[in-house]
Amino acid sequence: MSAQFLQFLLAGLTVGAIYALVALGFSIIYNASQVINFAQGEFVMIGGMCTVWLANAGWPLPAAIAAAVLVAAAVGLALEKLAVEPARGASVVTLIIITIGASILLRGLATIVWDKNIHPLKAFSGEAPIQLGGATLLPQSLWVLGVTVVIVLLLSWFFGRTLLGKALLATSHNRLAAQLVGINVRHVLLASFGLSAALGAVAGILVAPITFTAWDVGVMLGLKGFAAAILGGMGSGPGAVLGGLVLGIVEAMGAGYVSSAYKDAIAFVIILAVLFFLPSGLLGRRSSDRV
Amino acid sequence: MLEAKALASHYGRIPALKGIDLAVREGELVALVGANGAGKTTLLRALSGVQPVSAGCVLFDGEDITRASPHWRVRRGIVQVPEGRQVFGPLSVEDNLLLGGYTRKRAEGARGLERVYAMFPMLRDKRREAAGTLSGGQQQMLAMGRALMAQPRLLLLDEPSMGLAPRLVEEVFETVHALKSAGTTIFLVDQNARAALAIADRAYVLETGTIVHAGTGAELLASKQVQAAYLGL
Ligand SMILES: Nc1ncnc2c1ncn2[C@@H]1O[C@H](COP(=O)(O)OP(=O)(O)OP(=O)(O)O)[C@@H](O)[C@H]1O
Ligand SMILES: [Mg+2]
């Protein structure tokens, strides 16, 4: 493996992990409600911006991070309560449009509460690059990868081992049967918005020291996360992770070996290609097994 | 125990239930028979709170529960085995059962699991398999077991014998009978009118959203009109 290839691979994995976290947020809400939440990127923005803001106000970084995740989760809950829940019974397309409206509103609010500037965030544990087989790795990349691994493990424990997690899965599979066993499906919807928002915020905080943050970072990161979720198969957890990593690596290789001018276009080409040739994605459930 | 008074429900503007009056008393097995599209499923769903009610009311232990949420009703002991079984296909058999006990305490869930496995040993053998891979009859047992996990006081059964081979139909009816003997109150909907009427204490006949006959199971079995319409005599 050439050092250059390794360098691109590490860069791809880092950004891919971020996409994976955003994609997981898309999938969790999609499972609970069949809604593609286009405000998912704004949770990413809120996480980063809120952390920067609190850190600049003198909060210790860990406290700022925890508070920012909670703020984003609260915004997620509010989005469900104030915008999605009142439209209960509306078509999925209507709900998707509501989330687009919410994303515009949240960006607007961010420019009012904060500003329109680009903000750096201090790396969690220094900037000294780590040498690795001829390539260099920033400590922040290790944070991104490590935290993503921990979150993926926690999520698979939650959905695979806890009754609450299984109740969420059951509701996404068969809402009527879930109601009939006594699951409060409105709480499930609320919980999935809160959880997705928290995941998005974590992604936004982890990536802020690498790419900086601003009121509008959610647009592109949201779209990349969406592309990753589509690629992996909307609604599939492992698919979201795989889709994120593949998208990140393809982007990094494309930028490195071809031209960085095409970096963002790759995500859109992937969205179109998947929709044309593989509508249920790499790991999505084929429509046939949802009889 | 359960009472419906002038209960009505619509799909859009099309009425599906047009003022249903019925009662199920503690310990009874009450059957509801009727042709395809009569509104049987709609009625059970309204009783479980997953189908909007446009007029009338539902009383449980004398309390008006017409507006109560589905999960609240399950907690109170109104539990349904829905038409078409509706198991959680990708989840394991055991997870399906544990979710059946979602409204109960964890310890009760463990005990319930033992009871259900004792009743349907096949479910224990298949407990790690995805529910969607079971045969129709096995899924029906699972759906029943899942409902029992919620410790029903009133069990609503929607076509538990639908699409099953005759031997399995018999097994389902035996199970229903055993549950009744064990003290569970049962409201049973079945296409198999003869078998349903035979084990029922009382029964109602539903036709296009209206109750047209009521009586003991034996009376309806003997009724000329019911025989002509539902028993193919
Ligand atoms: N989701 C729905 N939307 C519109 N109309 C419906 C819907 N579900 C049922 N109906 C109509 O309501 C009426 C009652 O249906 P329901 O399913 O309650 O009948 P049923 O007695 O359970 O029939 P079956 O024996 O086929 O199960 C039927 O005319 C049916 O076409
Ligand atoms: Mg029916």
Side-chain angles (χ1 to χ4, degrees), chain B residues 25-50:
Chain B
R25 288 189 282 271
E26 188 110 38
E28 271 189 326
L29 197 173
V30 176
L32 178 72
V33 297
N36 280 329
K40 305 181 296 292
T41 297
T42 309
L43 175 57
L44 287 196
R45 288 188 179 177
L47 295 179
S48 278
V50 293

Side-chain angles (χ1 to χ4, degrees), chain A residues 166 173-174 176-177 180 182 184, chain B residues 45 71 74 86 89-90 95 99:
Chain A
K166 286 170 188 171
H173 178 72
N174 190 328
L176 172 70
L180 291 177
N184 184 342
Chain B
R45 288 188 179 177
H71 58 93
V74 175
Q86 317 275 352
D95 283 346
L99 284 166

Side-chain angles (χ1 to χ4, degrees), chain B residues 11 14-16 34-43 83 158-159 191 206:
Chain B
Y11 288 108
I14 303 164
N36 280 329
K40 305 181 296 292
T41 297
T42 309
L43 175 57
E83 185 175 66
D158 196 350
E159 314 248 10
Q191 291 273 321
L206 189 66

Side-chain angles (χ1 to χ4, degrees), chain B residues 204-229:
Chain B
Y204 294 92
V205 179
L206 189 66
E207 233 169 60
T208 56
T210 313
I211 302 271
V212 291
H213 300 286
T216 65
E219 276 166 17
L220 291 183
L221 265 180
S223 145
K224 287 269 174 303
Q225 286 154 307
V226 174
Q227 284 183 349

Side-chain angles (χ1 to χ4, degrees), chain A residues 6 80 168 220:
Chain A
L6 184 62
E80 199 280 335
L168 259 64
M220 199 47 93

